Amino acid sequence: MKSFLDQDFLLQTDTARELYHEHAAKMPIIDYHCHLDPRQIAENHQFEDLTEIWLGGDHYKWRAMRANGIPEEYITGDKSPYEKFLKWAETMPYTMRNPLYHWTHLELSRIFGIHKVLNPASAKEIYTTCTDKLRTPEYRAQAIMKRMNVEIVCTTDDPIDSLEYHQKIRSNGCHTRVYPAWRPDKVLAIDNIKALNDYLSKLEAAADKTILTYKHLLEALQKRHDFFAAQGCRLSDHGLDTFYAEPYTEQEIEVIFLKARMGKSLTEQEVRKYRSALLYELAVMDARSGWVQQFHIGANRNNNKRMFKLLGADTGFDAIDDQPVAVSMNRFFSRLDQEGLLAKTIVYNLNPRDTELMVANAYNFNDGSVPGKMQYGAAWWFLDQIKGMEDQLNALSSLGLLSR
């Protein structure tokens, strides 16, 4: 009988096994989009326990635990690390058929050498064994990346970031090459006037430049863009609900920006025009610097307002959006293409509805200048995480094995 998650997991033919074991498995990992913490890499962080490395910021697991009825104090609250881990182990069996189930056991197997299934009965042994290993030099941050053959990592960094930890990484002999990636989402978020103005104050400090006009904003961003380039950055990353390509004039954008700086509310059309103008200028900066630009499209963020006020952003309350994409995407890329300013581009969609749409429309702008100028990215983020859990709960209920 084939055991669960052995070395041939998901490899169902001889050809698949040969391609993976003889070729793919030997290749290094080159990760051009991730949310690893540069500080942890720079300081070669020693993880205190399995909960820190597994549950400390993993909102995929947090969503699953909430769906399983786990109280928030065991997720982001003040319960002990071991108590939180036990609740994750309690949730684990209900994630069968969900990617979380596979990811968890792959990590146990390939990182820690543990081939047991995680559940409440095995939780204590797994927690103790993994925590003991994490407290050894072989399981510090840089050692884990080296052992997994991670050659290059691109983190996600705000334009105001000092990038001091990237500088430290380069100086401390880290096996993995770590580069910053430019993520200017906050400067596009003009729908929240107060948050934007708070952010612009920080951008002024980082760029050492007063920002009173839209022209000043572009000059400050260009200064920071140049700084990122000097620190090894070669790609940008945009997290957007959709593309923006509304017609506008420079005078209109100056007026819109001035209204925002004065704290005045904007119309939806003004917001779209501002985003269209700034997204274009950011793309021009990338093209002129020879960068690659990435567009992650289709997230609807911070949907649970009560929990957003309590926990802030990126805590498990983002989901799939359904805004139109094709028209604005083609307008945006076509303008850049006509002006000879379309950088090499990778697009990702969150809504599976848009998969064929994104591929077909991005390929309108391959021009023969370089292989893969316009590319479709890897599977991104929200693979309907709860679907597998719902299927499993329904199956158990139908068998009379679960009463809630």
Side-chain angles (χ1 to χ4, degrees):
M1 176 181 290
K2 183 178 172 65
S3 62
F4 169 67
L5 221 153
D6 63 7
Q7 66 174 359
D8 292 332
F9 177 62
L10 295 180
L11 306 176
Q12 299 182 13
T13 68
D14 289 340
T15 300
R17 286 186 282 272
E18 179 181 352
L19 287 173
Y20 177 74
H21 292 302
E22 299 302 320
H23 303 282
K26 299 176 182 180
M27 298 294 289
I29 293 172
I30 298 175
D31 187 350
Y32 43 86
H33 169 78
C34 79
H35 294 278
L36 294 179
D37 183 352
R39 179 174 182 173
Q40 288 187 337
I41 300 173
E43 297 178 348
N44 201 14
H45 184 69
Q46 185 91 63
F47 296 95
E48 180 63 27
D49 49 57
L50 186 55
T51 300
E52 181 190 359
I53 193 171
W54 247 11
L55 298 172
D58 193 336
H59 49 79
Y60 305 117
K61 295 184 177 75
W62 296 353
R63 287 176 69 96
M65 293 169 74
R66 292 178 185 127
N68 196 40
I70 303 299
E72 194 65 30
E73 58 261 36
Y74 290 95
I75 302 171
T76 61
D78 58 1
K79 293 296 183 179
S80 70
Y82 182 59
E83 289 174 304
K84 291 179 178 179
F85 179 80
L86 289 179
K87 291 299 183 181
W88 170 235
E90 179 183 319
T91 301
M92 190 78 259
Y94 299 114
T95 66
M96 189 179 294
R97 296 179 63 186
N98 183 288
L100 283 170
Y101 196 84
H102 304 148
W103 295 341
T104 295
H105 290 97
L106 282 168
E107 289 162 359
L108 283 175
S109 173
R110 299 187 180 184
I111 304 295
F112 296 102
I114 294 175
H115 303 285
K116 294 185 176 182
V117 173
L118 176 61
N119 54 41
S122 63
K124 183 176 181 179
E125 178 185 356
I126 288 175
Y127 182 85
T128 300
T129 300
C130 292
T131 295
D132 287 346
K133 289 185 176 182
L134 286 168
R135 293 174 179 175
T136 66
E138 291 76 19
Y139 283 82
R140 298 182 81 102
Q142 293 185 19
I144 293 174
M145 292 195 298
K146 183 177 181 179
R147 189 164 65 253
M148 298 307 295
N149 198 19
V150 182
E151 183 176 300
I152 297 175
V153 158
C154 296
T155 60
T156 303
D157 306 275
D158 192 279
I160 67 173
D161 197 298
S162 69
L163 303 184
E164 60 181 295
Y165 294 109
H166 285 86
Q167 296 168 20
K168 290 181 179 179
I169 291 169
R170 290 198 302 272
S171 66
N172 68 15
C174 180
H175 167 81
T176 301
R177 285 181 282 164
V178 183
Y179 301 108
W182 168 268
R183 182 71 174 250
D185 292 359
K186 290 180 180 178
V187 78
L188 287 158
I190 200 170
D191 53 325
N192 186 329
I193 298 295
K194 183 181 183 307
L196 177 69
N197 281 311
D198 289 344
Y199 177 78
L200 291 178
S201 295
K202 298 175 183 177
L203 180 58
E204 286 180 320
D208 191 23
K209 180 176 180 59
T210 300
I211 302 174
L212 298 178
T213 68
Y214 180 65
K215 182 181 178 181
H216 291 160
L217 172 64
L218 296 183
E219 290 171 349
L221 287 169
Q222 183 66 67
K223 189 173 181 180
R224 297 303 298 168
H225 198 276
D226 293 342
F227 171 72
F228 268 59
Q231 299 301 315
C233 181
R234 295 295 181 268
L235 73 165
S236 66
D237 196 343
H238 302 270
L240 305 169
D241 48 4
T242 189
F243 287 95
Y244 291 89
E246 300 292 322
Y248 61 86
T249 66
E250 292 183 9
Q251 183 179 7
E252 282 182 305
I253 304 306
E254 284 289 2
V255 171
I256 291 168
F257 185 75
L258 181 59
K259 285 178 64 176
R261 287 302 264 160
M262 295 172 65
K264 296 182 179 180
S265 60
L266 303 176
T267 67
E268 182 177 345
Q269 186 63 16
E270 287 174 324
V271 169
R272 297 184 69 85
K273 284 178 179 286
Y274 168 83
R275 287 177 174 167
S276 299
L278 186 53
L279 193 62
Y280 165 79
E281 295 292 347
L282 290 166
V284 169
M285 292 181 195
D286 292 346
R288 288 176 174 163
S289 297
W291 288 11
V292 175
Q293 54 187 359
Q294 300 177 91
F295 295 96
H296 288 78
I297 303 297
N300 189 4
R301 300 183 184 276
N302 306 317
N303 296 289
N304 188 323
K305 301 307 177 186
R306 176 179 62 84
M307 295 304 289
F308 177 68
K309 290 179 181 178
L310 182 66
L311 300 176
D314 303 320
T315 52
F317 301 98
D318 302 340
I320 295 171
D321 206 343
D322 61 351
Q323 291 199 43
V325 175
V327 172
S328 57
M329 176 180 178
N330 279 289
R331 284 178 182 168
F332 176 68
F333 288 143
S334 185
R335 179 184 178 187
L336 293 165
D337 178 71
Q338 289 182 73
E339 298 174 0
L341 293 169
L342 180 55
K344 190 171 183 178
T345 301
I346 306 172
V347 295
Y348 311 76
N349 61 290
L350 190 53
N351 193 328
R353 171 203 70 179
D354 296 330
T355 300
E356 290 85 356
L357 179 154
M358 292 278 278
V359 175
N361 285 283
Y363 276 38
N364 290 335
F365 301 98
N366 275 315
D367 57 11
S369 62
V370 60
K373 178 175 181 177
M374 305 296 292
Q375 296 186 23
Y376 183 68
W380 174 43
W381 176 32
F382 202 109
L383 304 174
D384 199 3
Q385 289 292 319
I386 303 304
K387 181 62 167 64
M389 180 179 291
E390 290 176 343
D391 289 344
Q392 184 69 1
L393 290 171
N394 290 336
L396 291 172
S397 296
S398 68
L399 294 172
L401 300 176
L402 182 66
S403 177
R404 297 221 163 185

